[in-house]
Amino acid sequence: MLKAYVLAEGGPSPAELPPLEALRHGETGGIGWIDLHNPDKTEEAAAEAFLGELIPTQEELNEIEFSSRFYVEDGVVIMTASIIVGIDQGTPGLTPFSFALGKDKLVTLRYADMTAFKQFMQRSIKASSGCSTATGVFAALMEAFIDRSADVLERIAQSVDHLNSEIFDQRARRRQRNRRLAGAISGLGVQGDLASKTRESLASLERLVQYASAMVPEPPKNKGGFSARLKLMLRDIRSLEDHANFVLNKITFLLDATLGLISTEQNKVISVLTIVSTVLLPPTLIGAIYGMNFEFMPELRWHLGYPAALGAMVLSAVLPYLYFKWRDWL
């Protein structure tokens, strides 16, 4: 899908893209931005004619080396970042988003729907968005991606705090508590995966902002303003990276604590079973001895044999129990 926009003070306005031949002759019809979403060959050719430069292929976007994601060709700066998507659908992942920024021209290339992109489109119609130029659209899109990352980290932090309360809640019954601990491991795994993906996306955005600071020229109409926005983005990204690291460390701590609590509960069960079996072993032994059907046993004709055997069983069970209590094993 290809969408073309005219850039003005009121933000991007949808417009019809001129024919391919007209684009090749530099007749853009006032178009300043083309957005490509899962484009076909015809749409890619139109965007390349508009930009005057080849756009990256989907295979090139998925490359991780710096030279494939950041380069300059004939004055067109190509930059690609990994953006987190699929959070609201419960299938988080990273997808490439590419900027091809030329003089007063911008082409964006993506292969997934993005919440941050939709939020940007809603904000771009405001005069304060600064989306009247190609560099302005680029900066506003980057700010939208950063804001979305902050929202995701906030959601993760809230989920982790909720899991923290469940893990260390001492008021729950043992059976309920065991179920909560087992569920907490799954929840921590989900939040840890999401936090690590968000951290990876932030690292990718940081590299893009650093490259843009060095390679994208300052717009003459906004001298110093573009550089200031990039510096603010870089500061925000690094702050979010620190927060992401804190959340990941907390998830690691909670996971270790959960496993430790589960191990403690299991040790309690094993301890009880061990004590019970130890207490019952001597009476069982006595009962087994006097349950043997031998003809010549000294106690067979003893009138006090039966109560003596019962007494020995009770005594052999009580003595280990008292010993365990004395050692504080119970």
Side-chain angles (χ1 to χ4, degrees):
M1 181 185 298
L2 183 150
K3 291 184 178 180
Y5 299 91
V6 174
L7 302 179
E9 292 299 328
S13 301
E16 289 292 332
L17 193 68
L20 185 60
E21 288 300 323
L23 290 172
R24 287 174 176 168
H25 289 87
E27 300 175 10
T28 62
I31 303 297
W33 171 35
I34 289 179
D35 175 51
L36 296 175
H37 181 203
N38 287 320
D40 56 27
K41 296 296 182 182
T42 304
E43 293 169 340
E44 288 179 356
E48 289 172 350
F50 163 78
L51 192 63
E53 181 57 49
L54 294 176
I55 62 174
T57 64
Q58 187 172 6
E59 291 74 19
E60 290 173 340
L61 292 182
N62 290 318
E63 297 290 339
I64 61 173
E65 59 266 20
F66 192 88
S67 59
S68 296
R69 292 198 156 207
F70 305 97
Y71 58 92
V72 179
E73 289 287 347
D74 297 330
V76 178
V77 183
I78 309 295
M79 299 169 286
T80 303
S82 297
I83 307 300
I84 191 164
V85 295
I87 298 171
D88 297 330
Q89 294 76 25
T91 55
L94 295 174
T95 184
F97 188 100
S98 183
F99 297 93
L101 184 60
K103 185 179 180 181
D104 300 326
K105 295 179 181 179
L106 173 66
V107 173
T108 54
L109 178 60
R110 56 196 173 97
Y111 291 91
D113 287 323
M114 300 177 179
T115 301
F117 190 87
K118 296 176 182 177
Q119 293 173 344
F120 159 77
M121 293 304 298
Q122 294 172 354
R123 300 171 185 169
S124 64
I125 59 176
K126 299 179 181 179
S128 59
S129 65
C131 296
S132 58
T133 62
T135 52
V137 172
F138 163 75
L141 265 171
M142 287 296 300
E143 289 168 348
F145 292 147
I146 295 169
D147 289 344
R148 178 59 176 168
S149 299
D151 293 340
V152 173
L153 283 176
E154 184 178 354
R155 182 187 299 185
I156 295 171
Q158 291 175 351
S159 298
V160 171
D161 287 341
H162 177 70
L163 289 170
N164 182 89
S165 301
E166 288 194 347
I167 291 169
F168 296 107
D169 184 9
Q170 300 294 331
R171 296 170 298 176
R173 295 180 179 178
R174 175 173 293 182
R175 184 180 299 178
Q176 187 180 19
R177 179 174 171 78
N178 290 339
R179 284 198 298 264
R180 284 186 178 182
L181 291 176
I185 292 178
S186 176
L188 289 171
V190 171
Q191 298 306 320
D193 177 66
L194 183 55
S196 63
K197 283 183 170 63
T198 305
R199 177 66 177 81
E200 185 178 348
S201 177
L202 287 169
S204 177
L205 290 172
E206 182 181 9
R207 294 173 65 192
L208 191 149
V209 173
Q210 289 175 336
Y211 189 81
S213 300
M215 304 306 298
V216 177
E218 187 77 27
K221 295 182 180 179
N222 189 20
K223 200 68 176 177
F226 181 67
S227 298
R229 290 179 77 176
L230 291 179
K231 289 180 181 179
L232 184 59
M233 288 181 209
L234 199 58
R235 188 182 68 182
D236 290 343
I237 290 172
R238 287 171 177 170
S239 176
L240 290 174
E241 286 177 332
D242 291 339
H243 186 59
N245 290 333
F246 166 77
V247 171
L248 285 168
N249 289 335
K250 187 172 183 179
I251 290 173
T252 302
F253 161 73
L254 289 177
L255 184 59
D256 292 341
T258 304
L259 294 174
L261 290 172
I262 291 175
S263 178
T264 301
E265 292 294 328
Q266 291 176 340
N267 289 339
K268 288 181 180 178
V269 173
I270 294 174
S271 176
V272 170
L273 292 176
T274 303
I275 292 173
V276 169
S277 61
T278 304
V279 168
L280 294 179
L281 180 60
T284 304
L285 178 62
I286 295 172
I289 291 174
Y290 287 103
M292 294 185 295
N293 296 319
F294 291 111
E295 182 177 356
F296 299 103
M297 293 183 68
E299 294 87 356
L300 280 178
R301 300 185 181 279
W302 184 28
H303 292 288
L304 299 178
Y306 178 69
L310 291 178
M313 291 181 192
V314 172
L315 186 63
S316 64
V318 170
L319 289 177
Y321 176 79
L322 294 176
Y323 178 76
F324 292 147
K325 290 287 289 185
W326 176 66
R327 295 297 301 267
D328 289 330
W329 291 351
L330 288 175

